[in-house]
Amino acid sequence: MTKPIRGRFAPSPSGRMHLGNLFAALLAWLDVRSLGGEMLLRMEDLDPDRCKPAYTPQLAEDLRWLGLDWDLGWQEGQDEYCQSYRTEFYAEAFRALEGEGLVYPCYCSRKELLAASAPHGSDGARVYSGRCRGLSPAERAALEAQGRRPAWRIAVPEETISFTDGNFGPQSEVLSRDCGDFILRRSDGVYAYQLAVTADDGLMGVNRVVRGWDLLSSTPRQIWLMERLGYAVPTYCHLPLLCSGEGRRLAKRDRDLDVGALRRVTTPEKVTGFLARAAGLIDRFEAVSPRELIGEFSWERVGRADRVVEEIDWASL
Ligand code: GLU
Ligand code: ZN
């Protein structure tokens, strides 16, 4: 028997969502629903400096307002679907990787990292030089004695990770050349996104990951970790992003497009219609519900080009 399709929303409750987040949520939902699959909601509140508990119920409520639903995951009172409650699972995954001899402490300061790494060709991220990989126990002890607290990195092989993205097509990356040894746990003890998302997608049986293309470059790392941890690798489909007139992606500072502001001036059907039109799912604007769009969804229509959002006059739509 084949496993049912299981997709997920994995938002970070670091503020009110904006139109760009709704675009991603709507398309992730349509992808899964058009395949007859299940949807899961996981709150990615890993970073205590950025995420506030109050945003979590707000976020779920805003998704419901748009007309999206989910079968599994976060509900009021079910905080086990918040990453901040799942540290024991990340610790377990960390120990498993440590047991393979792949994890080592990195004592580099921000300044040392900048000095000892080269910018990455494709997305500008920096490739770690592996400076701390070969430290001897005595060198580590000396750094500890200076009061340095290490972050923890995983040693990546010279392996090429290849996969076919459901929207962006064939992808491949040589981990050692294009990414370098990456962080699993920060020096303040917080587990890194790459580790947490991999453990969660694996443990939660997610087999369909739909998200913005800004995370396309993280995917080879996640696939490699999934394989190390013995999980089935999901199908990844990356989405174009909504951008402002100046060509930068929509962000929290675009206040007029945050869901709180949208809810004061328009309806969920208008927002859905606007997003569906931007996604290329309908040819001209009309107010619709997400459910009415299930039959219209296809990756060919969505395509890869980012969409520019000009000022929107909701009243005249
Ligand atoms: N929590 C991440 C974000 O909001 C998304 C992670 C993912 O989809 O893998 O950007
Ligand atoms: Zn280092």
Side-chain angles (χ1 to χ4, degrees), residues 106-108 113 128 131-132 153:
C106 167
Y107 295 90
C108 294
L113 286 176
Y128 179 63
R131 191 167 183 261
C132 295
R153 288 187 187 267

Side-chain angles (χ1 to χ4, degrees), residues 8 10-12 42 44 193 197 201 209-211 214-215 222:
R8 42 76 151 184
S12 295
R42 177 172 74 233
E44 301 211 323
Y193 158 72
V197 81
D201 283 336
V209 172
V210 176
R211 59 188 180 189
D214 52 317
L215 291 168
Q222 294 173 16

